[in-house]
Amino acid sequence: MTAQLYLNGVERSFDGFKAINGLSLHVTKGELRAIIGPNGAGKTTMMDIITGKTRPDKGEVFWNEKVDLTKTDEAGSARLGIGRKFQKPTVIESLSVEDNIALALKTDRSVFATLFARRTAAQEDRITELLELVRLVAERSRPAADLSHGQKQWLEIGMLLAQEPELLLVDEPAAGMTDDETMRTAELLRGLAGEHTVIVVEHDMEFVRALDCKVTVLHQGRVLAEGSIDHVSANPEVVEVYLGR
Amino acid sequence: MSRLIDRRMGFFLIALFIAVVAIPVGNLVMEGKPVASYVVQLSGKYLCYALLAVALDLVWGYCGILSLGHGAFFALGGYAMGMHLMREIGTRGVYGDPVLPDFMVFLSYEELPWFWLGFDQFWFAALMAMVVPGVLAFLFGWFAFRSRVSGVYLSIITQAMTYALMLAFFRNEMGFGGNNGLTDFKDVLGFDLQSDATRAGLFVASAVALVAGLLIAKAIALSQLGKVLIGIRDAEDRTRFLGYRVEGYKLFVFVVSAMMAGVAGALYTPQVGIINPGEFSPANSIEIVIWVALGGRGTLVGAAIGAIFVALAKTFLTGWIPEIWLFALGGLFVFVTLFMPKGILGVIEDGWGRIRRPTVRKEVTP
């Protein structure tokens, strides 16, 4: 079994505090994986390390077994095919919904290519397709600032998909969504797995249950338990640090 | 209307065109000179300021880089042109040296410093007026943006940059005329700088440069790159994680803007007849920011209007009660920040919209 994303013995400390302490994680291509853990378990730092925002002090991080992710930056990881969705919905507020998607489309990202870029008919179609998927067709030319919180989450998911990433890192997608939106998001993420690899960091246990996938529990910067949701929730250590509270 | 010349731009260009025809005609053609010569000269200076404001708006309004050192690029452009004008003086200087400008003779220079070579050619000076600010912006931006210096820290080091340049240019050893700067220019391309026709010509050239600057800036803003810039301004991290190398984009727009400021400076020097280290003063750079904020940040046309408005107010007020000018400028900035967040242009457009369509909101069509 080959790992698309491979972390081995990763350590990273901030001012003496070990945010990540010997983390090892293997995610295979096409997998849907949920990562849970209490606050301070190192979830955000882990994502920062995978996307090249933070460099680990120690350990290996490999992409598709050959690319060293500790040597890349945010833009580099994005170009490799790692898409990241922030916890707080982050869209470009003064651009229209359509332009937000257009900016995310998989194209040449160099300065001069962007300066002279013209939008093709194929790109227009792709934008429409994505807007239909995230149900924002009617909002197409409105500024993103006008969208509701849930709609911004969806727009950001749309932008993520426009990048055509191989791996989607999704940070608490259900935060601030209604129950109905939460379930629709779970359904969407399940649908994306297979074609894409999806890693979801989440607090909401209902949502994790709805994802119906392998779960990794992080605690104090390392993996505490791994397996199905029922398996990990039966683990007494997990109950103690996380679920029991 | 095209996207490049939208209604806003259209109105501004028409107004500018009228001024460009009326002012020289009133000065050169009409009986009794209804437009005085100093008005032509002042108007030309205002247009240089307007171009400088457009340059700043491109980096600040669209990319969120608050440069408090844009006066440095303007001054460098001004010095490049000033050096050419100095060499144009030739034997007509006080000391009559065919090669060395007066201040060099006075400071006992044996020969022309290497960095003055080539400035006897107009084309070289014009090129350097863009290249020198562009190279400085590139080096500065390369280090600052790669180290991810942003926000107020970046603003502070841009201030430090222009201040350091001011101190350097004040030194006689720098070879740029020290405290006195460069002055006593005689002619440009063979035209007498004191003649009305040359002044009108420089005024028209400034207007052409302003239009070119506006259109280039607008074209950049409308391109896909312009949208990346807005992405950087609104959500820098998001833009990075979309795969854009933010530092490259910032560097591009910073260099383009610096070159534009250099052109403005190059047109400014022959019209005011002097360039000295005072142009590098940090307060000048801050004033540019006020122009842009006042006119309407992120609108380009608004920046030009703001610059012209403040320059006019300064001319009137400093002639009338000079002591209050700085207070008035500060008060104006506070007033605009508090009550006119979209600047003069925003107020005009909102007012116009209310007159034309009292209740109906404009529908946005794709």
Side-chain angles (χ1 to χ4, degrees):
Chain A
M1 195 168 67
T2 60
Q4 181 168 46
L5 182 67
Y6 173 87
L7 280 79
N8 186 31
V10 174
E11 286 183 21
R12 168 74 206 204
S13 50
F14 295 104
D15 299 326
F17 169 70
K18 289 209 165 170
I20 297 284
N21 189 7
L23 174 68
S24 298
L25 185 74
H26 306 222
V27 181
T28 46
K29 200 170 168 57
E31 194 184 337
L32 172 60
R33 175 75 64 95
I35 294 184
I36 61 172
N39 282 331
K43 298 176 305 244
T44 303
T45 311
M46 177 197 76
M47 287 198 285
D48 284 348
I49 286 172
I50 295 170
T51 52
K53 189 176 186 195
T54 301
R55 305 233 178 285
D57 300 327
K58 238 190 198 172
E60 306 170 303
V61 186
F62 278 98
W63 173 246
N64 285 331
E65 300 188 315
K66 36 183 202 295
V67 185
D68 187 349
L69 286 178
T70 63
K71 294 205 166 43
T72 184
D73 62 358
E74 298 96 321
S77 72
R79 291 177 193 190
L80 284 170
I82 301 176
R84 179 171 182 180
K85 197 204 151 303
F86 297 105
Q87 181 181 340
K88 182 171 165 277
T90 313
V91 294
I92 298 153
E93 306 256 333
S94 25
L95 290 181
S96 67
V97 168
E98 175 182 4
D99 282 341
N100 267 280
I101 300 276
L103 215 53
L105 285 176
K106 195 173 181 177
T107 50
D108 188 343
R109 253 60 160 157
S110 70
V111 173
F112 289 98
T114 323
L115 182 61
F116 298 110
R118 288 278 166 274
R119 203 179 290 172
T120 63
Q123 286 175 330
E124 286 294 341
D125 294 347
R126 178 78 182 132
I127 292 169
T128 309
E129 196 182 295
L130 285 161
L131 288 175
E132 277 163 6
L133 184 70
V134 296
R135 306 190 192 187
L136 288 171
V137 179
E139 275 73 28
R140 188 173 184 135
S141 38
R142 288 175 63 190
D146 288 359
L147 299 181
S148 73
H149 184 87
Q151 284 176 317
K152 283 182 191 169
Q153 295 275 29
W154 279 92
L155 175 57
E156 201 184 355
I157 292 172
M159 289 163 76
L160 210 58
L161 296 177
Q163 284 176 258
E164 295 173 32
E166 286 180 53
L167 167 67
L168 285 94
L169 281 175
V170 191
D171 196 356
E172 297 199 25
M177 281 194 176
T178 62
D179 288 351
D180 174 51
E181 283 173 331
T182 304
M183 287 307 126
R184 246 171 58 206
T185 310
E187 196 183 303
L188 175 78
L189 292 173
R190 277 208 312 271
L192 290 172
E195 196 185 329
H196 309 266
T197 311
V198 183
I199 297 179
V200 184
V201 170
E202 190 49 73
H203 267 301
D204 183 343
M205 291 309 291
E206 279 309 303
F207 182 70
V208 173
R209 219 167 262 285
L211 288 177
D212 186 27
C213 65
K214 189 170 172 183
V215 177
T216 299
V217 184
L218 288 194
H219 180 54
Q220 292 179 348
R222 63 200 313 167
V223 175
L224 186 67
E226 211 164 63
S228 73
I229 183 79
D230 295 322
H231 173 81
V232 298
S233 13
N235 184 320
E237 269 187 296
V238 173
V239 173
E240 192 184 329
V241 304
Y242 185 54
L243 299 170
R245 293 198 294 187
Chain B
M1 290 212 174
S2 74
R3 292 192 329 139
L4 190 61
I5 301 177
D6 53 13
R7 185 187 316 179
R8 198 182 261 175
M9 182 75 85
F11 275 123
F12 183 79
L13 293 185
I14 291 167
L16 186 64
F17 183 75
I18 293 170
V20 164
V21 173
I23 291 176
V25 167
N27 180 250
L28 299 174
V29 184
M30 285 167 73
E31 284 291 318
K33 269 195 197 291
V35 176
S37 299
Y38 79 90
V39 174
V40 180
Q41 196 185 358
L42 267 181
S43 311
K45 191 171 95 171
Y46 294 170
L47 296 184
C48 295
Y49 289 156
L51 179 58
L52 177 57
V54 170
L56 182 74
D57 196 25
L58 186 60
V59 287
W60 184 38
Y62 288 88
C63 197
I65 303 169
L66 176 54
S67 166
L68 293 179
H70 252 53
F73 304 127
F74 179 81
L76 286 171
Y79 264 95
M81 187 50 67
M83 288 161 78
H84 172 67
L85 299 176
M86 285 307 264
R87 297 211 54 188
E88 279 276 287
I89 298 170
T91 53
R92 289 168 294 174
V94 177
Y95 296 104
D97 192 299
V99 178
L100 294 183
D102 278 348
F103 76 89
M104 290 189 189
V105 181
F106 181 73
L107 293 170
S108 332
Y109 275 70
E110 292 293 317
E111 57 182 6
L112 206 63
W114 62 269
F115 49 84
W116 276 76
L117 296 174
F119 278 92
D120 51 332
Q121 301 294 322
F122 177 83
W123 67 266
F124 183 78
L127 190 67
M128 285 301 125
M130 288 192 279
V131 169
V132 172
V135 168
L136 176 67
F138 184 86
L139 291 175
F140 181 90
W142 174 265
F143 290 109
F145 300 142
R146 258 168 50 106
S147 322
R148 301 203 179 172
V149 179
S150 62
V152 66
Y153 302 100
L154 186 90
S155 302
I156 290 168
I157 59 169
T158 55
Q159 275 268 280
M161 173 190 77
T162 194
Y163 189 62
L165 282 167
M166 179 179 75
L167 295 182
F169 273 76
F170 263 126
R171 292 162 52 86
N172 280 333
E173 296 87 334
M174 276 288 281
F176 295 104
N179 198 7
N180 299 319
L182 311 174
T183 190
D184 291 331
F185 310 134
K186 304 287 187 233
D187 53 26
V188 60
L189 293 170
F191 298 102
D192 180 8
L193 278 170
Q194 306 306 320
S195 83
D196 285 348
T198 310
R199 283 181 178 169
L202 285 166
F203 167 70
V204 173
S206 306
V208 170
L210 174 59
V211 172
L214 272 170
L215 293 180
I216 290 169
K218 182 80 179 175
I220 290 174
L222 285 172
S223 71
Q224 184 73 2
L225 183 137
K227 291 180 179 140
V228 177
L229 297 181
I230 290 172
I232 293 169
R233 182 191 72 190
D234 286 2
E236 182 163 335
D237 262 347
R238 173 75 280 165
T239 312
R240 274 187 207 282
F241 283 111
L242 285 177
Y244 294 98
R245 289 235 152 76
V246 164
E247 40 283 354
Y249 287 85
K250 285 185 173 176
L251 198 55
F252 171 79
V253 75
F254 198 58
V255 169
V256 169
S257 170
M259 290 166 80
M260 221 179 257
V263 172
L267 284 159
Y268 173 85
T269 302
Q271 299 189 76
V272 297
I274 183 166
I275 180 83
N276 64 29
E279 294 297 336
F280 286 104
S281 113
N284 279 17
S285 294
I286 293 172
E287 198 175 318
I288 308 167
V289 173
I290 300 179
W291 301 341
V292 176
L294 191 76
R297 179 187 168 199
T299 59
L300 301 175
V301 169
I305 293 173
I308 294 169
F309 178 84
V310 174
L312 267 172
K314 187 176 188 172
T315 303
F316 283 115
L317 265 181
T318 50
W320 182 33
I321 10 179
E323 307 82 43
I324 69 157
W325 165 243
L326 280 177
F327 295 102
L329 184 65
L332 207 57
F333 186 53
V334 172
F335 181 82
V336 167
T337 313
L338 290 178
F339 303 109
M340 295 161 59
K342 287 196 276 177
I344 296 173
L345 195 70
V347 170
I348 295 173
E349 288 183 348
D350 287 353
W352 179 248
R354 226 167 285 152
I355 294 163
R356 291 201 54 198
R357 270 169 261 197
T359 47
V360 188
R361 261 190 73 198
K362 195 181 161 209
E363 289 297 319
V364 184
T365 46

